[in-house]
Amino acid sequence: MKKLKKEAEALLIEAIGKSFPNIQGELNIFDMLEYPPDTSMGDLALPCFKLSKVLRSSPVKIAEMLSENIESGSFSDITAVNGYLNFRMNASVFAKRVVDDICAQGENYGSPMNGDGKTVVLDYSSPNVAKPFHIGHLGTTVIGHSLKLLHEFAGYKCVGINHLGDWGTQFGKLITAYKRWGNKDEVENGGIDELVRLYVLFHTEAEKDEALNDEARKEFSKLENNDEENLLLWRWFIDISIAEYKKTYRLLNIEFDSYNGESFYTDKMPAQIQVMKDKELLTIDDGASVVNLEEWNMPPCLILKRDGSTLYPTRDIAAAVYRKNTYDFEKCIYVTSAGQSLHFAQWFKVVELMGYPWADKLVHVPYGTVSINGAKLATRTGNVILLKDLFAQAIEKVKAITAEKNPALAERDDIAEAVGVGAIVFHYLSNNRMRDINFILEDALSFDGNTGPYAQYTYARTCSILEKSADEGEICGGEICEEEKELAKALALFPDSVSEAIAQYEPSLITRYILDLCAAFNRFYHNCQILSCEDESVKRQRIKLTACVRQVLGKSLELICMKKTEKI
């Protein structure tokens, strides 16, 4: 639709010049143009209220004068109505243009192609080692990976980094728990579930005996000082965790370019601390080294504790410098919960004060919290829904449904996995990322209404139609019905949706677009004969539209981490 807006903009600028020759300055007509909520009013509208002050005339008069001085172009009708200038497009010409664009651009249709090979680094997922991959990690994982796919689609070279939480006092706790109550065979057999059991057990016992916390601090201190036994345990816990996480990433079709976690940057922090000292940024506050950010209405950013040990900001700053030096990124995107917004604002400002000119290339993409039936997630108490369990339940539900509806369906397991996992992903990404989600299992696994299975079923329907047709048809520019016109409009909006999703770091815009496209296609499918149409030219036209929907809907599903299913 952007092309249509551009054409309307050009016509309007010319008409304004004729109607109001004495106007001064430029008008941003493109941004003033709107899509009317009721298509009976037209396909595009200019609210002339926005021009009233500049043109010194009433909106009604402006609309009427412009309607008299405007050429039609690709529009079949341009009328003035109550201060609005409404444009109705020539549907057949428009539909042919949209289909021609999709055919000419192929898999690149919808891409803004503005990445131009520049590098974007994305830091997402990043679970804490030896803790379960639960529903709370779903947001950072699917939002982050969708943003990676969107940027790749736009032509960027993307580097996905899983910044594992693989350092800190929690390892002292886990090592203590393992030495007291653990068993090598049980950990080998139980994997991360056994590590979680030991971690929860530590906290249960520490409430009874506070000396355990001192013991854990000593074990972590030994780890920091390269104690061989603790280093071996630590690496073992990491290997077990990554192997478990990769099972979930496989279901989501996610691969990372780097698993460098917090520990990787331990030897890189002193150089950055020295830069802060040289810039005279560090001050001492109750024994701790901080950067004062009062001028920017933020609390101090802690860099070193009283005992000289580092904190999260220190490691994040060292990581950012390493990534810039290694990848020379155009943007470095961090996808974490909104609760960490202050943390990122603080250390982003410190990077700027350190004199790094790329500080404005650091982007924090926050998202809302997830609770379970209103209860906050907490690993130490075991109040979590594990993603592997959630996905397993969804997959089993799809298997049961498909067995009942289509007993002869081949590749049932692969289809059930794609649809079951897709249902969870779509359910999450249907919401604006800043919205807090109260996760109710029954809702997530619902297969009715505007859901992932509905979108995948629509895609499968397009595949079925095309499989039964002799070819993919063609658009010859003949008359089209209302459903075909609305479907062409939906297809034309895909590039706008992609550009907005990238600009706003908001994958839910693609999810909403998918639902709009599915609704337009299903109205077309139910109200228009396709394969059974007796008029051969109309039949080929409708087959071609169906082929375009398959391509655009398939790409849209890919962009939100969902697999395409040709049969359900």
Side-chain angles (χ1 to χ4, degrees):
M1 293 292 280
K2 190 174 287 186
K3 283 188 177 180
L4 202 67
K5 284 180 72 173
K6 282 287 185 185
E7 186 167 343
E9 177 190 37
L11 293 171
L12 283 164
I13 289 173
E14 184 179 351
I16 289 170
K18 291 178 183 177
S19 305
F20 301 92
N22 297 321
I23 185 174
Q24 299 291 321
E26 293 185 8
L27 298 172
N28 190 359
I29 299 294
F30 184 85
D31 289 338
M32 293 182 190
L33 288 164
E34 299 176 349
Y35 301 120
D38 182 356
T39 55
S40 67
M41 298 166 61
D43 302 301
L44 204 59
L46 176 72
C48 295
F49 307 91
K50 298 178 180 180
L51 291 169
S52 186
K53 185 175 181 180
V54 180
L55 301 182
R56 298 181 180 181
S57 186
S58 74
V60 171
K61 177 117 174 164
I62 293 170
E64 289 173 350
M65 290 183 70
L66 292 180
S67 69
E68 294 169 2
N69 286 297
I70 196 165
E71 300 293 333
S72 63
S74 295
F75 303 96
S76 59
D77 186 39
I78 303 174
T79 55
V81 181
N82 298 326
Y84 284 84
L85 193 63
N86 294 333
F87 295 76
R88 191 174 302 281
M89 62 192 178
N90 184 318
S92 58
V93 172
F94 174 75
K96 187 175 189 309
R97 181 188 294 177
V98 172
V99 171
D100 286 346
D101 283 349
I102 294 172
C103 293
Q105 296 174 40
E107 285 296 312
N108 290 325
Y109 176 73
S111 169
M113 297 301 288
N114 55 5
D116 196 27
K118 296 187 285 284
T119 297
V120 171
V121 171
L122 297 102
D123 179 329
Y124 63 101
S125 197
S126 310
N128 288 323
V129 165
K131 291 186 179 180
F133 206 152
H134 56 69
I135 188 64
H137 296 114
L138 185 60
T140 174
T141 303
V142 296
I143 292 170
H145 196 61
S146 181
L147 291 177
K148 181 173 185 278
L149 296 170
L150 282 161
H151 280 83
E152 285 177 340
F153 187 46
Y156 290 93
K157 177 185 176 184
C158 293
V159 180
I161 295 180
N162 200 331
H163 186 75
L164 295 172
D166 64 355
W167 202 245
T169 54
Q170 71 265 29
F171 286 98
K173 297 175 182 179
L174 189 56
I175 290 170
T176 299
Y178 176 76
K179 288 182 177 180
R180 277 178 167 263
W181 309 295
N183 175 282
K184 183 177 180 180
D185 290 338
E186 289 177 356
V187 171
E188 289 285 2
N189 293 327
I192 200 167
D193 291 340
E194 176 62 12
L195 295 181
V196 172
R197 187 191 71 81
L198 290 171
Y199 185 77
V200 172
L201 178 60
F202 176 89
H203 284 279
T204 301
E205 295 300 318
E207 288 179 2
K208 306 172 190 173
D209 181 5
E210 291 187 3
L212 280 173
N213 288 313
D214 293 329
E215 186 177 333
R217 280 188 281 271
K218 290 177 184 176
E219 292 292 357
F220 181 61
S221 179
K222 287 165 63 178
L223 180 62
E224 286 186 302
N225 288 289
N226 298 318
D227 176 80
E228 186 174 343
E229 180 186 13
N230 282 10
L231 278 173
L232 285 171
L233 286 174
W234 171 70
R235 292 186 184 118
W236 183 39
F237 297 157
I238 291 174
D239 290 343
I240 288 171
S241 301
I242 291 177
E244 181 66 26
Y245 299 151
K246 283 185 175 181
K247 294 176 185 176
T248 300
Y249 294 137
R250 183 196 66 77
L251 290 173
L252 293 164
N253 203 27
I254 292 175
E255 291 184 4
F256 287 93
D257 301 288
S258 168
Y259 279 90
N260 288 336
E262 294 176 43
S263 63
F264 180 78
Y265 303 101
T266 301
D267 62 347
K268 298 167 181 59
M269 290 185 281
Q272 301 312 313
I273 294 169
Q274 188 59 50
V275 171
M276 292 181 226
K277 289 178 179 177
D278 293 343
K279 295 277 186 178
E280 299 183 346
L281 295 175
L282 293 179
T283 57
I284 304 301
D285 184 354
D286 195 25
S289 296
V290 305
V291 177
N292 191 316
L293 300 176
E294 185 178 2
E295 183 179 342
W296 296 276
N297 298 314
M298 287 186 281
C301 184
L302 276 76
I303 302 299
L304 295 171
K305 295 180 185 177
R306 295 177 66 179
D307 61 6
S309 58
T310 57
L311 295 102
Y312 284 118
T314 331
R315 291 191 279 276
D316 282 336
I317 291 167
V321 173
Y322 173 84
R323 291 168 185 175
K324 182 61 180 177
N325 292 339
T326 304
Y327 304 112
D328 191 24
F329 55 72
E330 174 67 18
K331 288 190 288 188
C332 187
I333 298 169
Y334 299 82
V335 184
T336 74
S337 73
Q340 297 185 45
S341 293
L342 175 60
H343 163 75
F344 280 93
Q346 287 177 301
W347 76 260
F348 283 4
K349 176 56 70 173
V350 173
V351 169
E352 179 188 332
L353 296 174
M354 291 169 74
Y356 289 114
W358 43 266
D360 62 345
K361 305 295 186 183
L362 302 173
V363 180
H364 179 223
V365 177
Y367 60 88
T369 61
V370 177
S371 56
I372 303 171
N373 295 324
K376 187 178 178 182
L377 302 176
T379 305
R380 66 182 62 183
T381 62
N383 182 37
V384 293
I385 293 178
L386 302 186
L387 272 182
K388 66 177 182 179
D389 293 341
L390 182 61
F391 287 151
Q393 287 183 55
I395 291 167
E396 287 305 312
K397 180 167 184 177
V398 177
K399 282 183 182 178
I401 291 172
T402 54
E404 180 182 340
K405 292 188 174 182
N406 191 356
L409 182 65
E411 302 176 342
R412 186 184 311 282
D413 289 350
D414 290 343
I415 291 170
E417 182 179 291
V419 176
V421 172
I424 304 301
V425 172
F426 195 92
H427 177 76
Y428 188 94
L429 290 180
S430 295
N431 300 290
N432 180 289
R433 60 177 165 79
M434 285 304 295
R435 180 181 170 187
D436 292 339
I437 298 174
N438 180 23
F439 195 88
I440 300 172
L441 192 59
E442 292 75 17
D443 291 346
L445 298 182
S446 172
F447 290 77
D448 299 321
N450 291 330
T451 63
Y454 162 70
Q456 286 170 309
Y457 182 78
T458 301
Y459 178 81
R461 174 172 278 168
T462 66
C463 294
S464 176
I465 292 169
L466 294 170
E467 186 180 11
K468 294 171 184 174
S469 66
D471 55 43
E472 290 194 359
E474 61 183 345
I475 294 278
C476 358
E479 288 300 314
I480 65 173
C481 67
E482 186 65 21
E483 288 84 359
E484 289 171 294
K485 171 189 165 185
E486 290 304 314
L487 184 53
K489 283 173 63 178
L491 289 167
L493 284 169
F494 181 54
D496 294 2
S497 297
V498 171
S499 295
E500 282 300 304
I502 293 171
Q504 297 181 32
Y505 303 100
E506 186 56 84
S508 69
L509 293 175
I510 301 298
T511 312
R512 288 174 220 157
Y513 171 77
I514 288 171
L515 292 175
D516 289 343
L517 180 59
C518 288
F521 176 76
N522 284 312
R523 281 193 297 270
F524 161 73
Y525 174 81
H526 288 295
N527 296 332
C528 303
Q529 291 180 323
I530 303 175
L531 296 177
S532 60
C533 182
E534 293 181 359
D535 186 320
E536 189 62 27
S537 65
V538 173
K539 174 182 175 180
R540 291 174 63 78
Q541 183 167 277
R542 291 174 179 175
I543 289 171
K544 192 64 178 180
L545 274 171
T546 301
C548 290
V549 172
R550 179 178 66 173
Q551 178 181 314
V552 174
L553 179 55
K555 175 56 70 175
S556 301
L557 291 170
E558 288 176 8
L559 291 175
I560 58 165
C561 317
M562 288 179 67
K563 296 176 182 176
K564 297 176 290 188
T565 48
E566 295 192 1
K567 289 182 172 61
I568 292 184

